[in-house]
Amino acid sequence: MSKCVFICPIGIIASDIIDRLMACVEERCGINCEIYPPMETPRYAYDDRRFQYDSKMILKQMIKQCPPHNLGFMGVTALDLFVPILKYVYGLSQLDGRCSLISTYRLDPALYGEPPDSDLLMSRIGKTAIHELGHSFGLTHCRNPRCIMFASTKIEHTDFKQPTLCSTCLEVLKWKIKMM
Amino acid sequence: MQTTGSENRLKRQYQPCIWMQAGVVDHKLCHEDYNCPRCRYDRVMNNLAEENISLKRSGIIPFGKRGRIVSWKERLLARPLSKRPCIHHMKGRIEFRLCHMEYRCGSCDFDQFFDDQYSVHAVVRPVDVLDVKGFKIPQGYYFHQGHTWMKIEESSSVRIGIDDFALRLLGPLDKIEAPLVGREIRQGRGDISIARGKNTARMLSPVSGIVTSINSTLREDGCLANRNPYSEGWVMMVRPDSLRMDMKNLMIHNESSAFMDKQVDLLCREIEEVAGPMTTDGGFFGDDIFGNMPQLEWGRLAKVFLRT
Ligand SMILES: [Zn+2]
Ligand SMILES: [Zn+2]
């Protein structure tokens, strides 16, 4: 079996989001995706003062459970995530590691009082997922605001990004893959 | 104008949240200076209360701790008329007063009157506030590179304070001390001292002059500045002696936002230095960067950002 990226639903999340995300990663990155048995809502990571989930605690748990022989192990959740120094996070990953985690919570147009738009939501989810995979392959943040490796601090940044790597990041990625 | 909103307030060590005062929750302190419309907790609690109402309507009895949540108004309305405090009393702004209006503040004359009167004595809150990567920069304020600000007020005096960036970088302060009234301050000298636990630092004066008034609340409750860096959290009033000259070394408008932008980048580099490359993608910095990442080291932060 060729190596693939495992996508692991965490907590309650619509299955069509997972299906469409897998199709998106396969199409854009040419990497096979497989669904991994879902994890329960990570109550251990809930912070009742922030009403949010500590993303690093969830990532730690994922690192413990990371299956062998894969290109990536990505958790996808609809829960609102944070790290202590930031107000919220869209996603995070191990740099040069295989585990990553993304949240759809703040990617949903409904959160910004906009009408439901599943294409926009999926485009944001796809960009966030590929960005985190980029970290897993060892890419760091890029200064080019159109590059997918640009660090989004607000949703406008995500919408402004193209769903692809800039030429510099692409070169770096090719080099990293050669070294792997 | 040298009185402040905080001086009008009855002094309290803790500021219990309205939801706690109403008895809906056991313990919750207010960190928003009773600006409920801005408060996330208030929003969440109101949503929960509404959820419970609609559950009850559809015949489901909500259970558990969450199921017992009702709005603070509903909880207070369950009390006899003589036990219903006015919201302005609950916010610590006035002595005890009863609410006769079933908490419909919108149609309460006293509320109107109070809001008008209160705003005369309160420090004017900045209206136009720029957001630079999540940090606030109000228009009309002059910034010093050591993260203090200066605002020109009436009768040839200026108000001085600490900016949002420094306050969120260092987190909730226990104490902020300005020189006593009558003392001289010098631009670029570490005249202001701040403390958080055993950590202390000095901050640079943005202008030179004579101190005419200080915000004494900050001696016991430095956190007031963290809550309202540009209004109630001011540090001192000063009669400047060379304002025109001093202003050449201060930043305003685009200069201050460009400076803040670079400072946020510098902070990201400092964080990467101690914690490795950032691979978290998301929101702006929270309100206590040092507290959540003490490996940044207090002394180093003071040196790099406060320039002291
Ligand atoms: Zn790039
Ligand atoms: Zn990133």
Side-chain angles (χ1 to χ4, degrees):
Chain A
M1 193 184 79
S2 66
K3 284 190 176 179
C4 65
V5 170
F6 283 111
I7 304 284
C8 175
I10 297 178
I12 297 164
I13 182 159
S15 61
D16 67 313
I17 286 189
I18 301 290
D19 293 343
R20 288 177 72 181
L21 170 63
M22 298 211 298
C24 167
V25 173
E26 286 182 352
E27 191 198 313
R28 294 260 176 72
C29 311
I31 304 173
N32 284 333
C33 287
E34 273 188 44
I35 192 151
Y36 194 79
M39 287 185 192
E40 274 181 30
T41 301
R43 296 195 189 284
Y44 58 87
Y46 186 66
D47 185 315
D48 60 4
R49 282 176 310 160
R50 297 182 62 142
F51 308 109
Q52 288 176 304
Y53 290 79
D54 188 328
S55 60
K56 289 222 161 139
M57 289 174 75
I58 304 174
L59 192 68
K60 266 188 198 153
Q61 198 55 40
M62 290 185 61
I63 293 169
K64 275 189 206 156
Q65 297 185 22
C66 181
H69 312 302
N70 64 58
L71 289 171
F73 183 43
M74 176 176 286
V76 183
T77 184
L79 301 169
D80 192 12
L81 303 178
F82 78 96
V83 290
I85 60 163
L86 299 180
K87 296 202 164 166
Y88 52 84
V89 297
Y90 301 120
L92 76 164
S93 58
Q94 283 178 288
L95 187 64
D96 286 321
R98 285 172 300 161
C99 296
S100 57
L101 171 63
I102 65 168
S103 160
T104 62
Y105 183 87
R106 287 174 188 269
L107 304 177
D108 190 345
L111 193 79
Y112 305 92
E114 288 155 22
D117 182 341
S118 73
D119 288 340
L120 178 59
L121 172 64
M122 283 318 300
S123 139
R124 289 170 174 176
I125 294 175
K127 287 177 189 176
T128 309
I130 294 169
H131 177 104
E132 297 309 332
L133 280 177
H135 284 314
S136 295
F137 287 115
L139 294 180
T140 51
H141 285 148
C142 176
R143 292 201 147 261
N144 179 349
R146 299 292 274 177
C147 172
I148 203 162
M149 289 315 292
F150 184 78
S152 298
T153 43
K154 46 185 177 180
I155 201 65
E156 289 82 357
H157 293 151
T158 306
D159 290 341
F160 188 70
K161 282 187 204 181
Q162 307 220 276
T164 48
L165 294 171
C166 72
S167 53
T168 320
C169 289
L170 190 63
E171 283 307 310
V172 176
L173 180 66
K174 281 182 186 162
W175 179 75
K176 292 257 181 197
I177 289 174
K178 227 186 266 173
M179 307 291 286
M180 264 162 96
Chain B
M1 196 180 75
Q2 289 173 13
T3 40
T4 69
S6 60
E7 279 168 9
N8 286 344
R9 248 159 244 207
L10 305 179
K11 276 202 181 144
R12 295 193 198 194
Q13 194 116 38
Y14 302 104
Q15 300 197 306
C17 168
I18 302 296
W19 291 87
M20 175 182 167
Q21 293 188 54
V24 182
V25 293
D26 291 340
H27 186 77
K28 168 79 191 158
L29 298 181
C30 176
H31 304 292
E32 293 282 356
D33 204 32
Y34 294 117
N35 187 342
C36 303
R38 201 178 58 188
C39 173
R40 186 183 151 91
Y41 180 79
D42 186 67
R43 226 164 27 238
V44 170
M45 290 296 284
N46 275 319
N47 287 344
L48 282 175
E50 264 167 47
E51 225 171 73
N52 286 339
I53 289 176
S54 60
L55 280 176
K56 277 178 206 156
R57 263 197 213 122
S58 53
I60 303 165
I61 294 171
F63 59 90
K65 213 172 165 183
R66 196 186 162 106
R68 283 196 294 273
I69 292 171
V70 296
S71 80
W72 62 263
K73 287 182 188 176
E74 193 182 331
R75 178 58 62 89
L76 289 172
L77 286 171
R79 295 183 186 175
L81 194 62
S82 65
K83 295 257 161 66
R84 295 178 195 165
C86 168
I87 182 80
H88 294 295
H89 170 71
M90 292 166 73
K91 292 183 177 183
R93 292 169 182 168
I94 54 165
E95 297 293 342
F96 188 78
R97 179 189 157 87
L98 282 177
C99 173
H100 299 284
M101 297 296 289
E102 299 182 323
Y103 297 107
R104 285 175 284 113
C105 304
S107 39
C108 172
D109 286 341
F110 178 75
D111 186 74
Q112 274 334 150
F113 159 79
F114 185 83
D115 264 357
D116 294 347
Q117 209 205 23
Y118 185 65
S119 58
V120 173
H121 293 290
V123 180
V124 182
R125 278 175 192 255
V127 209
D128 260 336
V129 182
L130 269 178
D131 183 300
V132 179
K133 294 182 172 164
F135 292 98
K136 290 190 268 316
I137 298 192
Q139 295 285 12
Y141 285 60
Y142 290 80
F143 289 83
H144 188 269
Q145 298 204 330
H147 292 283
T148 46
W149 55 260
M150 177 278 285
K151 183 168 173 269
I152 301 171
E153 304 224 335
E154 299 147 52
S155 65
S156 68
S157 62
V158 302
R159 198 183 288 274
I160 285 171
I162 302 173
D163 77 17
D164 187 35
F165 179 90
L167 289 162
R168 282 165 52 198
L169 175 69
L170 302 173
L173 297 177
D174 299 322
K175 197 197 258 189
I176 300 172
E177 274 184 316
L180 297 175
V181 172
R183 289 279 170 86
E184 188 195 36
I185 62 165
R186 286 272 127 230
Q187 185 179 50
R189 192 171 72 188
D191 292 313
I192 303 167
S193 74
I194 59 173
R196 176 178 184 181
K198 59 176 174 38
N199 294 309
T200 58
R202 297 214 146 249
M203 294 194 73
L204 305 179
S205 294
V207 297
S208 302
I210 303 291
V211 179
T212 56
S213 166
I214 58 173
N215 187 355
S216 53
T217 314
L218 297 178
R219 283 170 187 273
E220 293 128 46
D221 179 19
C223 233
L224 176 64
N226 295 78
R227 291 192 297 273
N228 300 294
Y230 300 115
S231 51
E232 284 90 340
W234 62 280
V235 175
M236 58 184 154
M237 299 284 295
V238 169
R239 189 177 299 273
D241 51 30
S242 46
L243 191 55
R244 229 168 247 277
M245 284 266 288
D246 286 350
M247 277 164 67
K248 287 187 185 150
N249 303 318
L250 300 177
M251 299 168 284
I252 193 161
H253 303 308
N254 300 343
E255 274 175 346
S256 38
S257 45
F259 169 73
M260 214 57 84
D261 194 279
K262 287 207 182 95
Q263 291 282 286
V264 179
D265 288 347
L266 179 59
L267 173 60
C268 290
R269 288 203 295 279
E270 288 288 319
I271 290 174
E272 296 200 332
E273 195 118 306
V274 297
M278 282 174 88
T279 53
T280 42
D281 297 291
F284 298 124
F285 285 107
D287 294 336
D288 184 6
I289 299 166
F290 169 70
N292 284 305
M293 204 177 248
Q295 61 273 43
L296 283 169
E297 286 180 29
W298 179 274
R300 173 151 181 90
L301 292 178
K303 197 170 155 204
V304 173
F305 295 100
L306 309 184
R307 296 165 186 247
T308 55

